[in-house]
Amino acid sequence: MHLIFLSLTYQSMRIPRIYHETALNVGVSVLLGDDAANHVGRVLRMQAGQEMTLFNGDGYDYLAEIESVTKKQVAVRVESREIVDNESPLTIHLAQGISRGDKMDFTIQKSVELGITDITPIFTERCGVKLKGERLEKKHQQWQKIAISASEQCGRAKVAQVHPPIELSEFLQQETDQLKLNLHPRATTTIKTLTRPESGVRFIIGPEGGLSDTEIEQAVASGYQDIQLGPRVLRTETAALTLLAALQLQFGDLA
């Protein structure tokens, strides 16, 4: 999936920004991947001599010029590179209870725009999504593509990692120096009372039905601190994005 944004004028098209999986080097020609080549060649109908921006997650944007376009392949030559300095100083890891329908897609997309670093989809007691085996692997790949597409759109040159889905109990056992938070409507701690987390933050958001009392107790026993955002109960996708935005405002790069 590749999101390409066009300018509002008819005279010129904004240079497309495309994700390329492999290494990029100035002065070297590369073939675009199948999805990107199809989008550039068939959807945008770009021709030799036109320019695009490539990125592969290494923190740079690469200006490239199309050398040739066929029905199946697009060859480009990398002309220059420029470092992209728009990553938040705060690393944030979201453990998101897998939600139904397109809510999970929405949460991943918007979290990337807000500067998330890592996302781990988690299975919980009240998770209504049942995925296993090949279906789970395909869904994981889809979520990572959504993160890549969101990076294309928002101008990030690094890609948030969507980790393979795991059980909440497994996530709680992971060792980390990050500040551990769990959103809880009856908590007394707020973001404003937290000390700046030098090693970043990781937080848990339950699915539509929230975390069970047992799961909340397990989180507390694993060192997670209950925190609340306000007096109202938020939907799972609203909660994740609200807490993420609040953390970026308090400790990150939202002004």
PDB file of all heavy atoms in Angstrom, residues 90-96 111 115-122 160-164 166 171 174-176 178-181 199-205 224 243-244 247:
ATOM      1  N   LEU A  90      11.462  11.169  22.037  1.00  0.00           N
ATOM      2  CA  LEU A  90      10.865  10.213  22.967  1.00  0.00           C
ATOM      3  C   LEU A  90      10.511   8.924  22.234  1.00  0.00           C
ATOM      4  O   LEU A  90       9.693   8.926  21.320  1.00  0.00           O
ATOM      5  CB  LEU A  90       9.600  10.815  23.593  1.00  0.00           C
ATOM      6  CG  LEU A  90       8.864   9.944  24.612  1.00  0.00           C
ATOM      7  CD1 LEU A  90       9.709   9.789  25.875  1.00  0.00           C
ATOM      8  CD2 LEU A  90       7.501  10.554  24.953  1.00  0.00           C
ATOM      9  N   THR A  91      11.138   7.823  22.612  1.00  0.00           N
ATOM     10  CA  THR A  91      10.772   6.530  22.040  1.00  0.00           C
ATOM     11  C   THR A  91       9.548   5.997  22.786  1.00  0.00           C
ATOM     12  O   THR A  91       9.505   6.007  24.014  1.00  0.00           O
ATOM     13  CB  THR A  91      11.923   5.517  22.144  1.00  0.00           C
ATOM     14  OG1 THR A  91      12.275   5.332  23.522  1.00  0.00           O
ATOM     15  CG2 THR A  91      13.133   6.013  21.379  1.00  0.00           C
ATOM     16  N   ILE A  92       8.570   5.539  22.008  1.00  0.00           N
ATOM     17  CA  ILE A  92       7.307   5.092  22.600  1.00  0.00           C
ATOM     18  C   ILE A  92       6.909   3.752  22.005  1.00  0.00           C
ATOM     19  O   ILE A  92       6.893   3.574  20.790  1.00  0.00           O
ATOM     20  CB  ILE A  92       6.176   6.116  22.362  1.00  0.00           C
ATOM     21  CG1 ILE A  92       6.581   7.506  22.854  1.00  0.00           C
ATOM     22  CG2 ILE A  92       4.902   5.666  23.061  1.00  0.00           C
ATOM     23  CD1 ILE A  92       5.542   8.575  22.596  1.00  0.00           C
ATOM     24  N   HIS A  93       6.579   2.819  22.872  1.00  0.00           N
ATOM     25  CA  HIS A  93       6.153   1.477  22.477  1.00  0.00           C
ATOM     26  C   HIS A  93       4.720   1.267  22.946  1.00  0.00           C
ATOM     27  O   HIS A  93       4.436   1.288  24.145  1.00  0.00           O
ATOM     28  CB  HIS A  93       7.085   0.440  23.101  1.00  0.00           C
ATOM     29  CG  HIS A  93       6.914  -0.930  22.561  1.00  0.00           C
ATOM     30  ND1 HIS A  93       7.931  -1.861  22.549  1.00  0.00           N
ATOM     31  CD2 HIS A  93       5.843  -1.573  22.022  1.00  0.00           C
ATOM     32  CE1 HIS A  93       7.508  -2.994  22.016  1.00  0.00           C
ATOM     33  NE2 HIS A  93       6.230  -2.842  21.698  1.00  0.00           N
ATOM     34  N   LEU A  94       3.830   1.071  21.997  1.00  0.00           N
ATOM     35  CA  LEU A  94       2.416   0.841  22.300  1.00  0.00           C
ATOM     36  C   LEU A  94       2.097  -0.644  22.228  1.00  0.00           C
ATOM     37  O   LEU A  94       2.352  -1.293  21.211  1.00  0.00           O
ATOM     38  CB  LEU A  94       1.534   1.605  21.297  1.00  0.00           C
ATOM     39  CG  LEU A  94       0.063   1.185  21.191  1.00  0.00           C
ATOM     40  CD1 LEU A  94      -0.664   1.427  22.510  1.00  0.00           C
ATOM     41  CD2 LEU A  94      -0.625   1.922  20.048  1.00  0.00           C
ATOM     42  N   ALA A  95       1.527  -1.178  23.305  1.00  0.00           N
ATOM     43  CA  ALA A  95       0.971  -2.531  23.290  1.00  0.00           C
ATOM     44  C   ALA A  95      -0.537  -2.369  23.148  1.00  0.00           C
ATOM     45  O   ALA A  95      -1.216  -1.955  24.095  1.00  0.00           O
ATOM     46  CB  ALA A  95       1.325  -3.283  24.566  1.00  0.00           C
ATOM     47  N   GLN A  96      -1.037  -2.651  21.969  1.00  0.00           N
ATOM     48  CA  GLN A  96      -2.435  -2.382  21.653  1.00  0.00           C
ATOM     49  C   GLN A  96      -3.238  -3.678  21.618  1.00  0.00           C
ATOM     50  O   GLN A  96      -2.951  -4.581  20.834  1.00  0.00           O
ATOM     51  CB  GLN A  96      -2.546  -1.681  20.303  1.00  0.00           C
ATOM     52  CG  GLN A  96      -3.969  -1.479  19.791  1.00  0.00           C
ATOM     53  CD  GLN A  96      -4.782  -0.554  20.678  1.00  0.00           C
ATOM     54  OE1 GLN A  96      -4.346   0.550  21.007  1.00  0.00           O
ATOM     55  NE2 GLN A  96      -5.972  -0.989  21.071  1.00  0.00           N
ATOM     56  N   SER A 111      -0.954   6.387  14.914  1.00  0.00           N
ATOM     57  CA  SER A 111       0.163   6.317  15.859  1.00  0.00           C
ATOM     58  C   SER A 111       1.479   6.630  15.170  1.00  0.00           C
ATOM     59  O   SER A 111       2.350   7.298  15.732  1.00  0.00           O
ATOM     60  CB  SER A 111       0.233   4.919  16.500  1.00  0.00           C
ATOM     61  OG  SER A 111      -0.882   4.676  17.316  1.00  0.00           O
ATOM     62  N   GLY A 115       4.319   9.718  15.761  1.00  0.00           N
ATOM     63  CA  GLY A 115       5.706   9.472  16.128  1.00  0.00           C
ATOM     64  C   GLY A 115       5.984   8.210  16.907  1.00  0.00           C
ATOM     65  O   GLY A 115       7.051   8.096  17.527  1.00  0.00           O
ATOM     66  N   ILE A 116       5.067   7.245  16.900  1.00  0.00           N
ATOM     67  CA  ILE A 116       5.296   5.993  17.623  1.00  0.00           C
ATOM     68  C   ILE A 116       6.557   5.308  17.101  1.00  0.00           C
ATOM     69  O   ILE A 116       6.905   5.419  15.924  1.00  0.00           O
ATOM     70  CB  ILE A 116       4.077   5.052  17.487  1.00  0.00           C
ATOM     71  CG1 ILE A 116       4.074   3.978  18.564  1.00  0.00           C
ATOM     72  CG2 ILE A 116       4.035   4.394  16.111  1.00  0.00           C
ATOM     73  CD1 ILE A 116       3.591   4.441  19.883  1.00  0.00           C
ATOM     74  N   THR A 117       7.249   4.593  17.965  1.00  0.00           N
ATOM     75  CA  THR A 117       8.455   3.865  17.576  1.00  0.00           C
ATOM     76  C   THR A 117       8.170   2.384  17.340  1.00  0.00           C
ATOM     77  O   THR A 117       8.634   1.794  16.366  1.00  0.00           O
ATOM     78  CB  THR A 117       9.535   3.998  18.663  1.00  0.00           C
ATOM     79  OG1 THR A 117       9.672   5.373  19.041  1.00  0.00           O
ATOM     80  CG2 THR A 117      10.867   3.487  18.146  1.00  0.00           C
ATOM     81  N   ASP A 118       7.413   1.778  18.255  1.00  0.00           N
ATOM     82  CA  ASP A 118       7.100   0.351  18.183  1.00  0.00           C
ATOM     83  C   ASP A 118       5.637   0.120  18.547  1.00  0.00           C
ATOM     84  O   ASP A 118       5.080   0.822  19.410  1.00  0.00           O
ATOM     85  CB  ASP A 118       7.967  -0.453  19.164  1.00  0.00           C
ATOM     86  CG  ASP A 118       9.441  -0.382  18.846  1.00  0.00           C
ATOM     87  OD1 ASP A 118      10.089   0.590  19.299  1.00  0.00           O
ATOM     88  OD2 ASP A 118       9.938  -1.275  18.148  1.00  0.00           O
ATOM     89  N   ILE A 119       5.046  -0.876  17.902  1.00  0.00           N
ATOM     90  CA  ILE A 119       3.683  -1.289  18.214  1.00  0.00           C
ATOM     91  C   ILE A 119       3.670  -2.808  18.336  1.00  0.00           C
ATOM     92  O   ILE A 119       4.138  -3.506  17.439  1.00  0.00           O
ATOM     93  CB  ILE A 119       2.678  -0.863  17.133  1.00  0.00           C
ATOM     94  CG1 ILE A 119       2.676   0.664  16.953  1.00  0.00           C
ATOM     95  CG2 ILE A 119       1.268  -1.358  17.480  1.00  0.00           C
ATOM     96  CD1 ILE A 119       1.870   1.135  15.768  1.00  0.00           C
ATOM     97  N   THR A 120       3.139  -3.309  19.448  1.00  0.00           N
ATOM     98  CA  THR A 120       2.948  -4.744  19.602  1.00  0.00           C
ATOM     99  C   THR A 120       1.460  -5.032  19.759  1.00  0.00           C
ATOM    100  O   THR A 120       0.859  -4.653  20.772  1.00  0.00           O
ATOM    101  CB  THR A 120       3.703  -5.290  20.832  1.00  0.00           C
ATOM    102  OG1 THR A 120       5.106  -5.093  20.673  1.00  0.00           O
ATOM    103  CG2 THR A 120       3.437  -6.788  20.996  1.00  0.00           C
ATOM    104  N   PRO A 121       0.835  -5.662  18.775  1.00  0.00           N
ATOM    105  CA  PRO A 121      -0.561  -6.088  18.937  1.00  0.00           C
ATOM    106  C   PRO A 121      -0.625  -7.208  19.983  1.00  0.00           C
ATOM    107  O   PRO A 121       0.200  -8.128  19.961  1.00  0.00           O
ATOM    108  CB  PRO A 121      -0.953  -6.614  17.551  1.00  0.00           C
ATOM    109  CG  PRO A 121       0.081  -6.029  16.614  1.00  0.00           C
ATOM    110  CD  PRO A 121       1.335  -5.954  17.429  1.00  0.00           C
ATOM    111  N   ILE A 122      -1.567  -7.110  20.904  1.00  0.00           N
ATOM    112  CA  ILE A 122      -1.629  -8.104  21.977  1.00  0.00           C
ATOM    113  C   ILE A 122      -3.022  -8.745  22.049  1.00  0.00           C
ATOM    114  O   ILE A 122      -4.038  -8.095  21.837  1.00  0.00           O
ATOM    115  CB  ILE A 122      -1.261  -7.495  23.344  1.00  0.00           C
ATOM    116  CG1 ILE A 122      -2.108  -6.258  23.648  1.00  0.00           C
ATOM    117  CG2 ILE A 122       0.215  -7.162  23.413  1.00  0.00           C
ATOM    118  CD1 ILE A 122      -1.914  -5.704  25.051  1.00  0.00           C
ATOM    119  N   ALA A 160       8.162   2.782  11.880  1.00  0.00           N
ATOM    120  CA  ALA A 160       7.812   2.140  13.146  1.00  0.00           C
ATOM    121  C   ALA A 160       7.690   0.637  12.936  1.00  0.00           C
ATOM    122  O   ALA A 160       7.162   0.183  11.924  1.00  0.00           O
ATOM    123  CB  ALA A 160       6.498   2.714  13.673  1.00  0.00           C
ATOM    124  N   GLN A 161       8.173  -0.125  13.884  1.00  0.00           N
ATOM    125  CA  GLN A 161       8.108  -1.575  13.774  1.00  0.00           C
ATOM    126  C   GLN A 161       6.835  -2.101  14.416  1.00  0.00           C
ATOM    127  O   GLN A 161       6.564  -1.837  15.591  1.00  0.00           O
ATOM    128  CB  GLN A 161       9.316  -2.238  14.435  1.00  0.00           C
ATOM    129  CG  GLN A 161       9.321  -3.755  14.289  1.00  0.00           C
ATOM    130  CD  GLN A 161      10.580  -4.402  14.822  1.00  0.00           C
ATOM    131  OE1 GLN A 161      11.487  -3.722  15.299  1.00  0.00           O
ATOM    132  NE2 GLN A 161      10.646  -5.715  14.736  1.00  0.00           N
ATOM    133  N   VAL A 162       6.067  -2.849  13.632  1.00  0.00           N
ATOM    134  CA  VAL A 162       4.910  -3.555  14.167  1.00  0.00           C
ATOM    135  C   VAL A 162       5.371  -4.976  14.478  1.00  0.00           C
ATOM    136  O   VAL A 162       5.646  -5.765  13.579  1.00  0.00           O
ATOM    137  CB  VAL A 162       3.741  -3.576  13.169  1.00  0.00           C
ATOM    138  CG1 VAL A 162       2.546  -4.307  13.782  1.00  0.00           C
ATOM    139  CG2 VAL A 162       3.339  -2.149  12.780  1.00  0.00           C
ATOM    140  N   HIS A 163       5.480  -5.274  15.746  1.00  0.00           N
ATOM    141  CA  HIS A 163       5.984  -6.579  16.161  1.00  0.00           C
ATOM    142  C   HIS A 163       4.921  -7.650  15.969  1.00  0.00           C
ATOM    143  O   HIS A 163       3.718  -7.359  15.919  1.00  0.00           O
ATOM    144  CB  HIS A 163       6.419  -6.525  17.629  1.00  0.00           C
ATOM    145  CG  HIS A 163       7.534  -5.563  17.894  1.00  0.00           C
ATOM    146  ND1 HIS A 163       8.863  -5.913  17.804  1.00  0.00           N
ATOM    147  CD2 HIS A 163       7.526  -4.241  18.244  1.00  0.00           C
ATOM    148  CE1 HIS A 163       9.630  -4.867  18.088  1.00  0.00           C
ATOM    149  NE2 HIS A 163       8.843  -3.832  18.349  1.00  0.00           N
ATOM    150  N   PRO A 164       5.331  -8.909  15.877  1.00  0.00           N
ATOM    151  CA  PRO A 164       4.354  -9.995  15.774  1.00  0.00           C
ATOM    152  C   PRO A 164       3.409  -9.986  16.966  1.00  0.00           C
ATOM    153  O   PRO A 164       3.832  -9.733  18.102  1.00  0.00           O
ATOM    154  CB  PRO A 164       5.222 -11.257  15.761  1.00  0.00           C
ATOM    155  CG  PRO A 164       6.552 -10.791  15.244  1.00  0.00           C
ATOM    156  CD  PRO A 164       6.720  -9.402  15.782  1.00  0.00           C
ATOM    157  N   ILE A 166       1.328 -11.005  20.157  1.00  0.00           N
ATOM    158  CA  ILE A 166       1.617 -11.947  21.246  1.00  0.00           C
ATOM    159  C   ILE A 166       0.562 -11.798  22.336  1.00  0.00           C
ATOM    160  O   ILE A 166      -0.245 -10.862  22.330  1.00  0.00           O
ATOM    161  CB  ILE A 166       3.020 -11.708  21.858  1.00  0.00           C
ATOM    162  CG1 ILE A 166       3.132 -10.254  22.359  1.00  0.00           C
ATOM    163  CG2 ILE A 166       4.112 -12.034  20.854  1.00  0.00           C
ATOM    164  CD1 ILE A 166       4.462  -9.956  23.058  1.00  0.00           C
ATOM    165  N   PHE A 171       4.021 -10.099  26.732  1.00  0.00           N
ATOM    166  CA  PHE A 171       4.499  -8.718  26.657  1.00  0.00           C
ATOM    167  C   PHE A 171       4.926  -8.221  28.029  1.00  0.00           C
ATOM    168  O   PHE A 171       5.948  -7.537  28.167  1.00  0.00           O
ATOM    169  CB  PHE A 171       3.413  -7.809  26.078  1.00  0.00           C
ATOM    170  CG  PHE A 171       3.848  -6.387  25.898  1.00  0.00           C
ATOM    171  CD1 PHE A 171       4.585  -6.004  24.786  1.00  0.00           C
ATOM    172  CD2 PHE A 171       3.534  -5.420  26.847  1.00  0.00           C
ATOM    173  CE1 PHE A 171       5.011  -4.691  24.633  1.00  0.00           C
ATOM    174  CE2 PHE A 171       3.949  -4.111  26.691  1.00  0.00           C
ATOM    175  CZ  PHE A 171       4.690  -3.742  25.573  1.00  0.00           C
ATOM    176  N   GLN A 174       8.533  -8.970  29.122  1.00  0.00           N
ATOM    177  CA  GLN A 174       9.680  -8.401  28.417  1.00  0.00           C
ATOM    178  C   GLN A 174      10.461  -7.461  29.330  1.00  0.00           C
ATOM    179  O   GLN A 174       9.880  -6.640  30.035  1.00  0.00           O
ATOM    180  CB  GLN A 174       9.210  -7.648  27.166  1.00  0.00           C
ATOM    181  CG  GLN A 174       8.603  -8.542  26.103  1.00  0.00           C
ATOM    182  CD  GLN A 174       8.125  -7.763  24.889  1.00  0.00           C
ATOM    183  OE1 GLN A 174       8.165  -6.526  24.865  1.00  0.00           O
ATOM    184  NE2 GLN A 174       7.665  -8.476  23.871  1.00  0.00           N
ATOM    185  N   GLU A 175      11.772  -7.582  29.290  1.00  0.00           N
ATOM    186  CA  GLU A 175      12.627  -6.708  30.091  1.00  0.00           C
ATOM    187  C   GLU A 175      12.830  -5.376  29.371  1.00  0.00           C
ATOM    188  O   GLU A 175      13.063  -5.340  28.158  1.00  0.00           O
ATOM    189  CB  GLU A 175      13.975  -7.380  30.349  1.00  0.00           C
ATOM    190  CG  GLU A 175      13.882  -8.620  31.225  1.00  0.00           C
ATOM    191  CD  GLU A 175      15.248  -9.164  31.591  1.00  0.00           C
ATOM    192  OE1 GLU A 175      16.255  -8.527  31.228  1.00  0.00           O
ATOM    193  OE2 GLU A 175      15.297 -10.229  32.236  1.00  0.00           O
ATOM    194  N   THR A 176      12.747  -4.288  30.097  1.00  0.00           N
ATOM    195  CA  THR A 176      12.898  -2.967  29.501  1.00  0.00           C
ATOM    196  C   THR A 176      13.240  -1.947  30.575  1.00  0.00           C
ATOM    197  O   THR A 176      12.888  -2.121  31.750  1.00  0.00           O
ATOM    198  CB  THR A 176      11.599  -2.548  28.784  1.00  0.00           C
ATOM    199  OG1 THR A 176      11.753  -1.235  28.239  1.00  0.00           O
ATOM    200  CG2 THR A 176      10.425  -2.529  29.755  1.00  0.00           C
ATOM    201  N   GLN A 178      12.239   1.162  29.924  1.00  0.00           N
ATOM    202  CA  GLN A 178      11.253   2.197  29.636  1.00  0.00           C
ATOM    203  C   GLN A 178      10.264   2.356  30.790  1.00  0.00           C
ATOM    204  O   GLN A 178       9.998   1.410  31.538  1.00  0.00           O
ATOM    205  CB  GLN A 178      10.496   1.857  28.345  1.00  0.00           C
ATOM    206  CG  GLN A 178      11.341   1.920  27.081  1.00  0.00           C
ATOM    207  CD  GLN A 178      10.528   1.593  25.843  1.00  0.00           C
ATOM    208  OE1 GLN A 178       9.784   0.619  25.818  1.00  0.00           O
ATOM    209  NE2 GLN A 178      10.669   2.410  24.816  1.00  0.00           N
ATOM    210  N   LEU A 179       9.715   3.555  30.898  1.00  0.00           N
ATOM    211  CA  LEU A 179       8.649   3.806  31.857  1.00  0.00           C
ATOM    212  C   LEU A 179       7.415   3.015  31.415  1.00  0.00           C
ATOM    213  O   LEU A 179       6.997   3.098  30.265  1.00  0.00           O
ATOM    214  CB  LEU A 179       8.326   5.299  31.907  1.00  0.00           C
ATOM    215  CG  LEU A 179       7.141   5.724  32.773  1.00  0.00           C
ATOM    216  CD1 LEU A 179       7.416   5.418  34.242  1.00  0.00           C
ATOM    217  CD2 LEU A 179       6.838   7.202  32.573  1.00  0.00           C
ATOM    218  N   LYS A 180       6.835   2.256  32.340  1.00  0.00           N
ATOM    219  CA  LYS A 180       5.704   1.381  32.012  1.00  0.00           C
ATOM    220  C   LYS A 180       4.397   2.008  32.508  1.00  0.00           C
ATOM    221  O   LYS A 180       4.257   2.314  33.697  1.00  0.00           O
ATOM    222  CB  LYS A 180       5.886   0.011  32.663  1.00  0.00           C
ATOM    223  CG  LYS A 180       7.163  -0.719  32.271  1.00  0.00           C
ATOM    224  CD  LYS A 180       7.287  -2.007  33.071  1.00  0.00           C
ATOM    225  CE  LYS A 180       8.534  -2.776  32.748  1.00  0.00           C
ATOM    226  NZ  LYS A 180       8.658  -4.022  33.553  1.00  0.00           N
ATOM    227  N   LEU A 181       3.445   2.168  31.584  1.00  0.00           N
ATOM    228  CA  LEU A 181       2.172   2.794  31.917  1.00  0.00           C
ATOM    229  C   LEU A 181       1.006   1.932  31.452  1.00  0.00           C
ATOM    230  O   LEU A 181       1.084   1.265  30.420  1.00  0.00           O
ATOM    231  CB  LEU A 181       2.056   4.178  31.269  1.00  0.00           C
ATOM    232  CG  LEU A 181       3.130   5.211  31.607  1.00  0.00           C
ATOM    233  CD1 LEU A 181       2.906   6.482  30.800  1.00  0.00           C
ATOM    234  CD2 LEU A 181       3.136   5.511  33.103  1.00  0.00           C
ATOM    235  N   SER A 199      14.532   6.765  29.172  1.00  0.00           N
ATOM    236  CA  SER A 199      14.648   5.606  28.276  1.00  0.00           C
ATOM    237  C   SER A 199      13.391   5.372  27.456  1.00  0.00           C
ATOM    238  O   SER A 199      13.256   4.333  26.809  1.00  0.00           O
ATOM    239  CB  SER A 199      14.966   4.342  29.095  1.00  0.00           C
ATOM    240  OG  SER A 199      16.195   4.486  29.767  1.00  0.00           O
ATOM    241  N   GLY A 200      12.478   6.321  27.469  1.00  0.00           N
ATOM    242  CA  GLY A 200      11.255   6.183  26.700  1.00  0.00           C
ATOM    243  C   GLY A 200      10.112   5.611  27.516  1.00  0.00           C
ATOM    244  O   GLY A 200      10.215   5.401  28.732  1.00  0.00           O
ATOM    245  N   VAL A 201       9.011   5.347  26.821  1.00  0.00           N
ATOM    246  CA  VAL A 201       7.771   4.907  27.465  1.00  0.00           C
ATOM    247  C   VAL A 201       7.205   3.710  26.713  1.00  0.00           C
ATOM    248  O   VAL A 201       7.309   3.629  25.489  1.00  0.00           O
ATOM    249  CB  VAL A 201       6.716   6.035  27.469  1.00  0.00           C
ATOM    250  CG1 VAL A 201       5.429   5.564  28.129  1.00  0.00           C
ATOM    251  CG2 VAL A 201       7.251   7.278  28.149  1.00  0.00           C
ATOM    252  N   ARG A 202       6.612   2.806  27.453  1.00  0.00           N
ATOM    253  CA  ARG A 202       5.763   1.789  26.839  1.00  0.00           C
ATOM    254  C   ARG A 202       4.453   1.766  27.607  1.00  0.00           C
ATOM    255  O   ARG A 202       4.430   1.893  28.828  1.00  0.00           O
ATOM    256  CB  ARG A 202       6.414   0.410  26.808  1.00  0.00           C
ATOM    257  CG  ARG A 202       6.776  -0.198  28.127  1.00  0.00           C
ATOM    258  CD  ARG A 202       7.239  -1.655  27.977  1.00  0.00           C
ATOM    259  NE  ARG A 202       8.202  -1.810  26.904  1.00  0.00           N
ATOM    260  CZ  ARG A 202       8.484  -2.975  26.309  1.00  0.00           C
ATOM    261  NH1 ARG A 202       7.862  -4.072  26.698  1.00  0.00           N
ATOM    262  NH2 ARG A 202       9.385  -3.049  25.360  1.00  0.00           N
ATOM    263  N   PHE A 203       3.340   1.644  26.873  1.00  0.00           N
ATOM    264  CA  PHE A 203       2.051   1.647  27.553  1.00  0.00           C
ATOM    265  C   PHE A 203       1.101   0.652  26.911  1.00  0.00           C
ATOM    266  O   PHE A 203       1.244   0.281  25.749  1.00  0.00           O
ATOM    267  CB  PHE A 203       1.444   3.053  27.602  1.00  0.00           C
ATOM    268  CG  PHE A 203       1.076   3.655  26.270  1.00  0.00           C
ATOM    269  CD1 PHE A 203      -0.211   3.524  25.760  1.00  0.00           C
ATOM    270  CD2 PHE A 203       2.001   4.393  25.539  1.00  0.00           C
ATOM    271  CE1 PHE A 203      -0.559   4.097  24.552  1.00  0.00           C
ATOM    272  CE2 PHE A 203       1.661   4.972  24.338  1.00  0.00           C
ATOM    273  CZ  PHE A 203       0.375   4.825  23.831  1.00  0.00           C
ATOM    274  N   ILE A 204       0.141   0.216  27.715  1.00  0.00           N
ATOM    275  CA  ILE A 204      -0.813  -0.813  27.315  1.00  0.00           C
ATOM    276  C   ILE A 204      -2.193  -0.193  27.143  1.00  0.00           C
ATOM    277  O   ILE A 204      -2.663   0.560  27.998  1.00  0.00           O
ATOM    278  CB  ILE A 204      -0.890  -1.932  28.372  1.00  0.00           C
ATOM    279  CG1 ILE A 204       0.499  -2.522  28.636  1.00  0.00           C
ATOM    280  CG2 ILE A 204      -1.866  -3.022  27.947  1.00  0.00           C
ATOM    281  CD1 ILE A 204       0.544  -3.434  29.854  1.00  0.00           C
ATOM    282  N   ILE A 205      -2.843  -0.528  26.040  1.00  0.00           N
ATOM    283  CA  ILE A 205      -4.224  -0.139  25.807  1.00  0.00           C
ATOM    284  C   ILE A 205      -5.024  -1.413  25.532  1.00  0.00           C
ATOM    285  O   ILE A 205      -4.682  -2.202  24.650  1.00  0.00           O
ATOM    286  CB  ILE A 205      -4.357   0.821  24.608  1.00  0.00           C
ATOM    287  CG1 ILE A 205      -3.572   2.114  24.860  1.00  0.00           C
ATOM    288  CG2 ILE A 205      -5.832   1.114  24.318  1.00  0.00           C
ATOM    289  CD1 ILE A 205      -4.111   2.972  25.978  1.00  0.00           C
ATOM    290  N   TYR A 224       3.930  -1.965  35.886  1.00  0.00           N
ATOM    291  CA  TYR A 224       3.196  -0.956  35.126  1.00  0.00           C
ATOM    292  C   TYR A 224       2.405  -0.063  36.065  1.00  0.00           C
ATOM    293  O   TYR A 224       1.749  -0.534  36.991  1.00  0.00           O
ATOM    294  CB  TYR A 224       2.260  -1.612  34.108  1.00  0.00           C
ATOM    295  CG  TYR A 224       2.999  -2.102  32.881  1.00  0.00           C
ATOM    296  CD1 TYR A 224       3.702  -3.302  32.914  1.00  0.00           C
ATOM    297  CD2 TYR A 224       3.040  -1.349  31.716  1.00  0.00           C
ATOM    298  CE1 TYR A 224       4.418  -3.748  31.808  1.00  0.00           C
ATOM    299  CE2 TYR A 224       3.744  -1.789  30.606  1.00  0.00           C
ATOM    300  CZ  TYR A 224       4.430  -2.981  30.663  1.00  0.00           C
ATOM    301  OH  TYR A 224       5.140  -3.411  29.570  1.00  0.00           O
ATOM    302  N   LEU A 243      -3.393   9.272  24.565  1.00  0.00           N
ATOM    303  CA  LEU A 243      -2.242   9.116  25.456  1.00  0.00           C
ATOM    304  C   LEU A 243      -0.935   9.356  24.710  1.00  0.00           C
ATOM    305  O   LEU A 243      -0.015  10.007  25.229  1.00  0.00           O
ATOM    306  CB  LEU A 243      -2.242   7.723  26.078  1.00  0.00           C
ATOM    307  CG  LEU A 243      -1.114   7.423  27.067  1.00  0.00           C
ATOM    308  CD1 LEU A 243      -1.006   8.498  28.142  1.00  0.00           C
ATOM    309  CD2 LEU A 243      -1.301   6.047  27.700  1.00  0.00           C
ATOM    310  N   LEU A 244      -0.856   8.877  23.485  1.00  0.00           N
ATOM    311  CA  LEU A 244       0.343   9.094  22.680  1.00  0.00           C
ATOM    312  C   LEU A 244       0.572  10.579  22.433  1.00  0.00           C
ATOM    313  O   LEU A 244       1.693  11.090  22.589  1.00  0.00           O
ATOM    314  CB  LEU A 244       0.215   8.344  21.355  1.00  0.00           C
ATOM    315  CG  LEU A 244       1.324   8.533  20.321  1.00  0.00           C
ATOM    316  CD1 LEU A 244       2.688   8.207  20.915  1.00  0.00           C
ATOM    317  CD2 LEU A 244       1.049   7.659  19.108  1.00  0.00           C
ATOM    318  N   LEU A 247       1.704  12.289  25.659  1.00  0.00           N
ATOM    319  CA  LEU A 247       3.111  11.998  25.965  1.00  0.00           C
ATOM    320  C   LEU A 247       4.039  12.822  25.076  1.00  0.00           C
ATOM    321  O   LEU A 247       5.060  13.359  25.537  1.00  0.00           O
ATOM    322  CB  LEU A 247       3.395  10.507  25.769  1.00  0.00           C
ATOM    323  CG  LEU A 247       2.824   9.561  26.818  1.00  0.00           C
ATOM    324  CD1 LEU A 247       2.919   8.116  26.361  1.00  0.00           C
ATOM    325  CD2 LEU A 247       3.547   9.745  28.157  1.00  0.00           C
TER     326      LEU A 247
END
